[in-house]
């Protein structure tokens, strides 16, 4: 299996090279040259435990890896999840489920991808004996999940930029209270988009990137998207047979990585009716899917900070398919977006997508209502998924974070604080973080000083 860049100006590469690189040299994102047809496997995979399902799926893509090695990496990635089913599908009422993706080490869905990615990096480093420096930007959960995927590994340093004051206090503690000396959490005086822009700029400097052996960990890494396809397949096979062709997956969305994974699984043959892109008040994707206008604007901090973005980096992968895999078109549109901050799709067809949005007031109301109806506590991100559940529609809402990560919001609405033992331990530990201005040159100098 080969991987091509959405911008068509990099050579196709194998799985391991695509994972190691993160971003393609031409600035595009890697995608499989051809998608496998999962209809050949879905029946056979119906009863497999989660890690076995993940292994069988990933094996179709990691064709340049030794099977036994991949098996070990997958097993180690999912054994750290606290629930025996890894991603339990919880029924709230007939036809409405929450897919709980928050039983990993940092209690958010990003653990699914980053526990795996950590294992893939470790294997590669062992093989090449070349240390790497992982650089990423986060609005909260990516950073902590990445850090916990790479914690304490030899020959890896990890630099995570995040907006100072722009992530929940417990999210920050998950990054800054690890006690591991290969971890550098960097609080930027700016927004998540500033952090992401700096990371992109440093990756765009090919000489610097090669010299520091930089590796990406934000949601653009191909392995993350593939790892996330697995839980859609897992949920799908757990549904009653009558719901399987008709199900709508509702996905609390920021960078478009999670929902893209579901849509790719669908493109590979997993039946589904629709994918709902659920945004918070930062609704660029809601506007896109309702009007065909993709237009970036200022970020407005919300109760669901991991969705506070205005540039959805994985959108480029969807664009590649929407533009009939024409990399010239992708380049033209990405260039226009960079230049003008907007693009209007003529005759836009939302395909199997719809979109909803929830502002902070909606989020509070939803948390209150869902608790009153089902005695089920939603975190503020998952709450966005409940903004507009369609009647008579089998629906799976992806539960992207554990409510205990956002105790202030829950307490304010429900009057009590949800807890999780993994988080309680953090509250006693000292915070170690680095404060830098939102300036690429300063971050570059910091990396030069601390990279391995
Ligand atoms: C990252 C994150 C999201 C957004 O996911 P994307 O893949 O960026 O669309 C939603 N909820 C939580 C809790 C997250 O951590």
């Amino acid at each position: 299996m080969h991987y091509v860049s959405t911008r068509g100006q990099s050579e196709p590469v194998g799985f391991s090279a695509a994972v190691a690189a993160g971003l393609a040299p031409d600035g595009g994102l890697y995608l499989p040259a051809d998608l496998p047809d999962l209809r050949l496997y879905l029946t056979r995979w119906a009863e497999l435990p989660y890690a076995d399902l993940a292994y069988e799926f990933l094996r179709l893509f990691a064709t340049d890896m030794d099977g036994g090695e991949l098996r070990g990496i997958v097993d180690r990635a999912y054994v750290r999840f606290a629930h025996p089913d890894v991603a339990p599908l919880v029924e709230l009422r007939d036809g409405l489920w929450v897919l709980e993706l928050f039983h990993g080490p940092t209690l958010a869905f990003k653990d699914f991808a980053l526990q795996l990615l950590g294992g893939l990096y470790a294997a590669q480093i062992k093989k090449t004996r070349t240390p790497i420096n992982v650089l990423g930007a986060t609005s909260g959960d990516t950073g902590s999940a990445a850090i916990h995927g790479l914690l304490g590994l030899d020959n890896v340093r990890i630099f995570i930029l995040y907006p100072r004051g722009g992530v929940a206090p417990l999210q920050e503690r998950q990054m800054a209270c690890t006690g591991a000396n290969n971890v550098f959490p960097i609080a930027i005086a700016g927004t998540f988009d500033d952090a992401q822009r700096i990371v992109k700029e440093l990756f765009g400097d090919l000489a610097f990137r090669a010299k520091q052996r930089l590796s990406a960990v934000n949601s653009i890494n191909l392995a993350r998207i593939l790892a996330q396809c697995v839980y859609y397949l897992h949920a799908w096979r757990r549904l009653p047979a009558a719901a399987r062709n008709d199900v709508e997956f509702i996905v609390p969305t920021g960078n478009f990585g999670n929902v893209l994974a579901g849509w790719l699984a669908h493109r590979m043959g997993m039946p589904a009716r629709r994918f709902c892109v659920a945004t918070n008040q930062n609704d660029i994707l809601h506007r896109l899917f309702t009007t065909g206008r993709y237009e970036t604007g200022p970020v407005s901090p919300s109760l669901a900070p991991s969705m506070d973005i205005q540039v959805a980096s994985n959108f480029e992968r969807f664009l590649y398919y929407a533009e009939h895999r024409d990399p010239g078109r992708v380049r033209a549109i990405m260039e226009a977006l960079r230049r003008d901050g907007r693009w209007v799709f003529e005759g836009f067809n939302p395909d199997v997508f719809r979109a909803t949005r929830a502002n902070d007031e909606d989020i509070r109301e939803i948390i209150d209502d869902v608790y009153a109806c089902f005695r089920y506590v939603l975190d503020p991100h998952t709450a966005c998924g409940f903004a507009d559940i369609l009647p008579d529609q089998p629906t799976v809402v992806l539960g992207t974070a554990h409510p205990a990560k956002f105790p202030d919001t829950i307490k304010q609405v429900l009057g009590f604080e949800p807890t999780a033992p993994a988080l309680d331990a953090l509250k006693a530990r000292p915070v170690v973080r680095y404060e830098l201005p939102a300036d690429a040159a300063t971050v570059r100098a910091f990396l030069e000083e601390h990279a391995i």
Side-chain angles (χ1 to χ4, degrees):
M1 173 84 72
H2 279 84
Y3 295 86
V4 295
S5 164
T6 48
R7 301 200 186 169
Q9 294 182 321
S10 298
E11 287 298 309
V13 295
F15 176 80
S16 301
V19 169
L23 200 66
D26 63 4
L29 310 184
Y30 284 115
L31 279 169
D34 295 294
L35 296 178
D37 185 350
L38 297 184
R39 286 171 303 181
L40 302 171
Y41 307 104
L42 288 174
T43 319
R44 212 183 319 149
W45 290 352
E47 301 298 332
L48 297 178
Y50 190 92
D52 296 30
L53 175 69
Y55 169 66
E56 292 296 335
F57 177 79
L58 292 167
R59 190 159 89 89
L60 302 175
F61 297 91
T63 49
D64 63 356
M65 277 183 77
D66 173 71
E69 181 181 35
L70 179 64
R71 179 78 240 198
I73 291 170
V74 170
D75 285 347
R76 280 191 294 278
Y78 298 110
V79 76
R80 294 190 200 149
F81 283 61
H83 195 284
D85 203 28
V86 181
L89 188 65
V90 174
E91 188 174 49
L92 294 188
R93 64 156 164 78
D94 198 24
L96 177 61
W97 295 266
V98 175
L99 177 63
E100 292 187 345
L101 300 175
F102 48 72
H103 296 286
T106 73
L107 311 185
F109 84 92
K110 294 186 174 77
D111 287 327
F112 280 85
L114 291 167
Q115 285 295 315
L116 182 84
L117 194 61
L120 289 169
Y121 280 162
Q124 191 130 16
I125 291 160
K126 220 162 131 193
K127 221 174 289 169
T128 60
R129 297 168 197 272
T130 312
I132 60 168
N133 292 292
V134 169
L135 172 64
T138 187
S139 54
D141 291 327
T142 315
S144 48
I147 285 167
H148 286 262
L150 296 166
L151 208 60
L153 287 181
D154 286 340
N155 292 319
V156 182
R157 295 236 165 120
I158 170 160
F159 300 85
I160 297 292
L161 275 59
Y162 62 94
R164 192 181 311 165
V167 304
L170 275 173
Q171 287 180 317
E172 183 172 38
R173 284 194 163 269
Q174 286 183 316
M175 294 190 273
C177 303
T178 63
N181 57 11
N182 69 332
V183 173
F184 297 84
I186 301 172
I188 289 290
T191 65
F192 168 61
D193 287 340
D194 292 327
Q196 187 151 266
R197 178 176 46 73
I198 293 170
V199 167
K200 274 208 156 172
E201 191 173 325
L202 295 180
F203 273 105
D205 179 341
L206 297 187
F208 179 72
R209 175 174 158 185
K211 177 159 173 272
Q212 302 296 349
R213 295 177 304 276
L214 290 189
S215 187
V217 80
N218 49 17
S219 54
I220 60 178
N221 198 295
L222 169 82
R224 292 189 58 182
I225 302 294
L226 295 177
Q228 292 175 178
C229 292
V230 177
Y231 51 70
Y232 284 91
L233 299 169
H234 174 70
W236 182 86
R237 64 189 187 152
R238 289 277 192 269
L239 290 170
R244 287 187 198 149
N245 285 325
D246 199 32
V247 61
E248 173 173 294
F249 288 97
I250 302 187
V251 189
T253 296
N255 255 322
F256 205 70
N258 196 354
V259 71
L260 177 87
W263 179 78
L264 274 178
H266 177 56
R267 220 181 144 94
M268 293 180 215
M270 178 193 78
R273 159 137 316 185
R274 210 182 292 107
F275 293 86
C276 175
V277 175
T279 73
N280 64 18
Q281 65 205 22
N282 293 290
D283 59 354
I284 175 172
L285 291 170
H286 177 255
R287 281 181 278 126
L288 169 71
F289 283 106
T290 48
T291 67
R293 286 173 73 88
Y294 188 85
E295 187 164 20
T296 61
V299 175
S300 141
S302 80
L303 293 177
S306 296
M307 294 157 60
D308 287 348
I309 61 102
Q310 281 293 348
V311 181
S313 42
N314 271 297
F315 176 67
E316 183 168 340
R317 286 192 163 104
F318 173 66
L319 189 63
Y320 177 77
Y321 291 104
E323 296 294 330
H324 311 288
R325 310 209 286 174
D326 176 352
R329 283 282 295 169
V330 174
R331 287 200 301 276
I333 295 170
M334 293 312 293
E335 172 56 23
L337 276 172
R338 198 189 56 76
R339 192 183 56 229
D340 310 329
R342 69 187 195 94
W343 179 265
V344 180
F345 292 88
E346 301 297 341
F348 182 75
N349 173 10
D351 191 41
V352 292
F353 290 99
R354 74 174 177 112
T356 61
R357 74 187 292 275
N359 61 24
D360 283 355
E361 204 183 314
D362 300 327
I363 289 174
R364 287 195 196 92
E365 224 166 79
I366 290 165
I367 291 172
D368 201 22
D369 288 351
V370 167
Y371 188 71
C373 287
F374 307 117
R375 287 286 174 260
Y376 189 84
V377 183
L378 296 175
D379 94 282
H381 302 79
T382 309
C384 295
F386 284 74
D388 183 19
I389 305 260
L390 300 177
D392 305 320
Q393 164 66 61
T395 298
V396 173
V397 179
L398 275 67
T400 55
H402 193 294
K405 291 189 87 167
F406 305 94
D408 298 346
T409 304
I410 307 298
K411 178 135 205 261
Q412 204 185 42
V413 179
L414 298 179
F416 61 86
E417 271 190 30
T419 56
L423 294 178
D424 291 339
L426 284 178
K427 293 174 190 162
R429 299 221 197 124
V431 173
V432 179
R433 67 173 191 187
Y434 303 85
E435 298 194 2
L436 295 182
D439 163 52
T442 314
V443 175
R444 170 196 301 258
F446 185 87
L447 275 161
E448 275 165 347
E449 185 181 342
H450 296 284
I452 192 169

